[in-house]
Amino acid sequence: MEKFFRAGLMLFILIGIATDALCAGGVIVPNVSLGVKEVKNPDDVVGVLQVVMLLTILALAPSILIMVTSFTRIIVVLGFLRQALGTQQMPPMQVLTALAIFLTFFIMSPTLDKINEQALTPYKNGMITFSQALSNAETPIREFMFKQTRQDDLSLFLNIIKHDKPMNKDDVPTRALIPAFMISELKTAFQIGFILFIPFLIVDMVVASVLLSMGMMMLPPIMISLPFKIMLFVLVDGWNLLVGSIIKGFV
């Protein structure tokens, strides 16, 4: 896990460097050709395996970077909201995912700024080595995860890997911090989801009781309660309250 995490940071730094180079102009685009030939040298086999491993890391790096940000909590909460409203496919999952991504960039912007100042810019200026840039980029992300990680969750994974009690945050391995951060985010998201369900559940219960008292047992209560739940969410400016609460939870 820690190797993949560092690979993701490496990819982020390389993308930043490549972006600056493209913006500067005068970029030479190489001609790359692919072919299949018989392997006779054992070193060639090792090279192929290294390429396969690199492609695997690059494929997983975006997912790993998403999991160490605020994206997990946001997308789970938005999913709970849609289920609580009972609007089926509205808003579409693509819209919720796009909103979660932009909110993630908004929340993570201070951390990304630190990575740019402490790792990307010094490395481009030749002030630090690539390994130092990776270490400097890892520090702000770890600080962000530590703020949102519960002590019990972190202790769970430290005990599983039989790690000695850390004296400080620097002694905590990243391979234990990342899963602890993820389950902490899931627990927080489920707590928010439970609170979201309460007002809409009350509306469903009231509508069901009214329909039952009127003898309209064949009419699905969801057909009557859905407009009232949407109206309630709009009247209280639900999107403003929900998004504001999510963002403040990371401050």
Side-chain angles (χ1 to χ4, degrees):
M1 177 67 72
E2 193 162 356
K3 293 181 179 179
F4 287 114
F5 176 70
R6 294 182 68 86
L9 293 178
M10 183 187 302
L11 178 63
F12 173 78
I13 295 176
L14 292 177
I15 291 175
I17 296 173
T19 302
D20 291 342
L22 290 174
C23 294
V27 179
I28 300 176
V29 180
N31 183 14
V32 181
S33 61
L34 299 176
V36 179
K37 63 180 181 178
E38 183 181 357
V39 177
K40 298 180 180 179
N41 190 347
D43 293 337
D44 294 337
V45 179
V46 176
V48 172
L49 294 178
Q50 290 177 346
V51 171
V52 173
M53 181 61 67
L54 178 60
L55 292 177
T56 303
I57 292 175
L58 292 179
L60 295 177
S63 299
I64 295 174
L65 289 178
I66 287 177
M67 291 303 176
V68 299
T69 62
S70 57
F71 181 84
T72 302
R73 182 191 303 186
I74 297 173
I75 194 64
V76 172
V77 170
L78 293 179
F80 274 126
L81 173 63
R82 190 171 71 170
Q83 289 187 350
L85 283 171
T87 53
Q88 302 300 325
Q89 300 299 323
M90 290 297 157
M93 198 61 196
Q94 294 87 343
V95 175
L96 296 182
T97 303
L99 176 61
I101 291 175
F102 280 104
L103 288 178
T104 299
F105 278 110
F106 181 82
I107 293 171
M108 298 298 297
S109 57
T111 303
L112 296 178
D113 290 340
K114 291 181 180 180
I115 294 176
N116 182 56
E117 295 174 1
Q118 300 176 10
L120 184 58
T121 301
Y123 177 73
K124 289 188 299 182
N125 296 334
M127 301 172 60
I128 58 177
T129 62
F130 191 76
S131 59
Q132 290 175 334
L134 284 177
S135 179
N136 293 346
E138 186 178 2
T139 301
I141 297 182
R142 283 172 56 90
E143 292 178 355
F144 172 81
M145 289 191 291
F146 272 118
K147 292 180 180 179
Q148 309 301 328
T149 304
R150 292 178 172 84
Q151 186 66 36
D152 293 340
D153 296 332
L154 185 58
S155 300
L156 170 65
F157 289 96
L158 290 177
N159 293 332
I160 291 176
I161 63 176
K162 295 180 174 57
H163 191 278
D164 296 335
K165 185 177 180 180
M167 300 300 296
N168 50 49
K169 294 181 179 180
D170 295 334
D171 294 337
V172 177
T174 305
R175 63 192 179 102
L177 177 59
I178 292 178
F181 168 77
M182 292 175 60
I183 64 174
S184 296
E185 286 294 278
L186 289 175
K187 181 177 181 179
T188 303
F190 273 66
Q191 290 174 341
I192 298 175
F194 171 76
I195 298 175
L196 281 175
F197 264 94
I198 293 178
F200 300 117
L201 181 61
I202 293 176
V203 173
D204 286 333
M205 294 175 61
V206 170
V207 170
S209 299
V210 172
L211 292 178
L212 184 61
S213 63
M214 296 175 63
M216 305 174 66
M217 294 177 292
M218 300 301 295
L219 182 63
I222 186 65
M223 295 183 59
I224 307 300
S225 63
L226 180 58
F228 288 99
K229 290 190 290 187
I230 295 177
M231 180 181 65
L232 173 64
F233 189 72
V234 172
L235 289 178
V236 300
D237 199 2
W239 288 111
N240 185 289
L241 292 175
L242 180 61
V243 172
S245 299
I246 293 176
I247 294 176
K248 292 177 182 178
F250 289 98
V251 177

